[in-house]
Amino acid sequence: MSRVWMYTQESGYVSQQSLVGFTVEAIDGVIGHVDRQQDQPGRQHLVVDTGVWVFGRSVVVPAGAVTAIDTDAQTVKVSSTQEQIKAAPRFTTDSQTADDDYLSAVGNYYLTLQCPIAP
């Protein structure tokens, strides 16, 4: 797996830090809150509950897309726009977070965006 599945040093992430419940902000506004997170090396990501914003669905955001974490404000900022996140490969079941094909599709999608993710 590529670095898209790892937090950057600049993000402020601390190993094993729980981000569950944090508000997630895209470049152009709030997209939801962290519902679950995966800290397995090489597969770090957030499952973000978008609420009614994207018809009640959740999205997977790779850790490499996280640009800043503010523990005091309980916010996570990501390097994508709301539309880019909405257009990401659809997340439907938790089993996808262990599916190499699905994770590869998500990782490749985020790598094609103009995000500061090192390949």
Side-chain angles (χ1 to χ4, degrees), residues 20-65:
V20 174
F22 280 37
T23 299
V24 181
E25 297 178 0
I27 293 169
D28 55 353
V30 172
I31 63 164
H33 69 275
V34 178
D35 188 40
R36 297 180 296 290
Q37 77 185 79
Q38 174 60 259
D39 255 346
Q40 180 181 349
R43 289 184 182 232
Q44 290 176 311
H45 63 269
L46 305 173
V47 176
V48 179
D49 179 354
T50 63
V52 296
W53 175 66
V54 189
F55 306 113
R57 78 174 177 137
S58 295
V59 294
V60 171
V61 176

Side-chain angles (χ1 to χ4, degrees), residues 71-83:
T71 53
D72 292 333
Q74 293 198 331
T75 59
V76 174
K77 294 187 180 200
V78 296
S79 59
S80 307
T81 66
Q82 291 176 336
E83 286 303 313

